């Protein structure tokens, strides 16, 4: 039989453990840790001889104290040391929560991102929070958001259902960027009950004019079942790896497919997608088992 003293020791240990766990989840993992997660693959249809390193940053969610402009600049400085041929930004620069001490303006986070550099450039798409937090864009239902303007103003091209052909060592490849799949919130004005996407997969891929491999940038991974084999690799963010991962699974994932596209490299029917765990937090400033990460992909 457990004694009162033993029970109190057990309870104290439990409380201490919970406090330590809470401190790690709220302070250390989201604020201090930064992983570099590497993938190496040669997707079907990849051009022989084309060796390409892609550095990907996702879900920055700029706000203080969790993701200040100075921290973003520090992450960018680290990304610049990773030897990427091309750097891609996978959306959600705006904060996604109210538990902040200060909102970081788009002029600040965009100037921090402007410190990124790569031989073949820095290329961006937007995420759902970049649309949701722009009330003017929500009212219009289309057009530029403050995210589009902020990135373009610092020289970073933003792809909204657009494709561009790049070249390395005489070998071409395409970057194709989708507009967000959850861009417009429900509202009476638009007679909508569900979030509406502005993505156009078919129209984007129709801009590809040769047989060079295609890398698709899509903030939400839920588009992946519709992506044709013509696309060599899809890169996504959005899920944050569930923000909490236990034993390789996430209890809650913002995807209609649940844990299927929560995190990492997924291969389905000879098609490849890599889902970044991202850098910031949304809803609540908690990360456990899903530390902030920069993703490095070596292709070929």
């Amino acid at each position: 039989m457990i004694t009162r003293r033993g029970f109190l020791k057990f309870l104290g240990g439990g409380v201490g453990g919970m406090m330590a766990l809470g401190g790690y989840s709220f302070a250390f993992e989201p604020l201090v840790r930064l992983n570099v997660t590497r993938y190496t693959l040669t997707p079907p249809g990849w051009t022989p001889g084309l060796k390409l390193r892609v550095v990907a940053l996702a879900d920055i969610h700029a706000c203080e104290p969790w993701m200040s402009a100075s921290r973003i600049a520090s992450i960018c400085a680290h990304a610049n040391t990773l030897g990427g041929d091309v750097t891609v930004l996978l959306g959600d620069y705006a904060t996604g929560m109210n538990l902040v001490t200060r909102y970081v303006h788009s002029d600040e986070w965009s100037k921090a991102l402007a410190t990124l550099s790569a031989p073949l450039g820095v290329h961006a798409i937007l995420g759902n929070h970049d649309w949701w937090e722009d009330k003017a864009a929500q009212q219009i239902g289309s057009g530029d958001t403050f995210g589009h303007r902020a990135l373009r103003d610092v020289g970073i091209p933003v792809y909204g259902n657009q494709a561009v052909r790049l070249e390395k060592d005489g070998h071409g490849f395409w970057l194709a960027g989708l507009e967000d799949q959850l861009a417009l919130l429900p509202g009476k004005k638009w007679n909508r009950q569900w979030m509406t996407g502005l993505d156009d997969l078919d129209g984007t891929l129709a801009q590809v004019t040769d047989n060079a491999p295609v890398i698709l940038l899509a903030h939400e991974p839920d588009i992946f079942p519709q992506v044709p084999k013509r696309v060599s690799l899809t890169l996504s963010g959005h899920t944050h790896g569930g923000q909490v991962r236990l034993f390789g699974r996430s209890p809650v994932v913002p995807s209609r497919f649940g844990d299927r596209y929560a995190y990492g490299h997924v291969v389905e029917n000879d098609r490849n997608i890599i889902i970044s765990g991202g850098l910031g937090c949304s809803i609540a400033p908690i990360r456990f088992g899903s530390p902030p990460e920069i993703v490095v992909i070596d292709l070929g």
Side-chain angles (χ1 to χ4, degrees):
M1 177 182 293
I2 188 169
T3 64
R4 180 174 180 273
R5 181 178 180 181
F7 174 75
L8 291 175
K9 287 178 66 177
F10 172 79
L11 184 62
V15 170
M18 289 299 291
M19 289 177 66
L21 182 63
Y24 177 87
S25 302
F26 275 94
F28 183 77
E29 188 158 306
L31 272 169
V32 178
R33 288 194 65 182
L34 178 63
N35 283 2
V36 175
T37 304
R38 298 178 182 270
Y39 300 93
T40 301
L41 64 151
T42 303
W46 192 255
T47 302
L50 173 55
K51 294 189 179 298
L52 185 73
R53 175 169 290 184
V54 181
V55 173
L57 284 69
D59 302 291
I60 287 167
H61 291 295
C63 64
E64 292 184 0
W66 316 106
M67 189 62 70
S68 65
S70 61
R71 187 178 182 213
I72 296 170
S74 176
I75 291 169
C76 291
H78 191 50
N80 287 340
T81 69
L82 298 175
D85 298 303
V86 62
T87 297
V88 296
L89 300 170
L90 300 176
D92 272 4
Y93 316 97
T95 186
M97 59 186 173
N98 295 320
L99 293 172
V100 303
T101 57
R102 189 177 80 88
Y103 294 98
V104 176
H105 194 272
S106 57
D107 285 347
E108 299 175 71
W109 57 251
S110 61
K111 287 177 182 175
L113 291 173
T115 62
L116 288 166
S117 64
L120 299 180
V122 180
H123 307 263
I125 58 172
L126 293 193
N128 55 303
H129 285 283
D130 304 314
W131 278 93
W132 292 357
E133 296 197 13
D134 192 318
K135 294 181 180 179
Q138 289 294 316
Q139 289 178 350
I140 297 169
S142 63
D144 279 357
T145 67
F146 60 75
H148 288 98
R149 294 189 295 272
L151 289 165
R152 284 203 303 262
D153 285 349
V154 296
I156 298 175
V158 186
Y159 299 91
N161 301 323
Q162 295 169 301
V164 63
R165 191 181 191 276
L166 303 174
E167 192 171 294
K168 184 194 175 190
D169 298 333
H171 300 292
F173 68 96
W174 291 83
L175 283 183
L178 290 187
E179 195 51 88
D180 191 68
Q181 302 157 53
L182 303 172
L184 302 180
L185 292 164
K188 293 181 181 179
K189 181 175 181 180
W190 307 109
N191 194 27
R192 294 185 264 106
Q193 294 182 338
W194 308 103
M195 288 175 283
T196 301
L198 296 175
D199 55 301
D200 181 2
L201 179 62
D202 292 340
T204 303
L205 295 181
Q207 300 168 40
V208 175
T209 57
D210 61 20
N211 294 323
V214 178
I215 299 172
L216 178 68
L217 312 180
H219 178 67
E220 292 91 357
D222 285 14
I223 194 73
F224 187 59
Q226 303 171 43
V227 175
K229 290 184 178 180
R230 175 68 184 86
V231 173
S232 297
L233 175 65
T234 300
L235 298 178
S236 295
H238 181 64
T239 62
H240 301 196
Q243 249 173 246
V244 175
R245 285 183 72 78
L246 301 170
F247 308 109
R249 295 189 64 83
S250 304
V252 179
V253 181
S255 165
R256 68 179 184 271
F257 296 102
D259 204 64
R260 179 175 168 185
Y261 304 130
Y263 176 74
H265 183 196
V266 179
V267 181
E268 292 182 352
N269 300 320
D270 291 327
R271 298 170 307 120
N272 289 263
I273 184 172
I274 292 174
I275 305 105
S276 168
L279 291 157
C281 300
S282 66
I283 310 301
I286 298 172
R287 277 185 177 263
F288 183 80
S290 182
E293 68 176 14
I294 301 169
V295 173
V296 177
I297 308 110
D298 284 304
L299 294 164

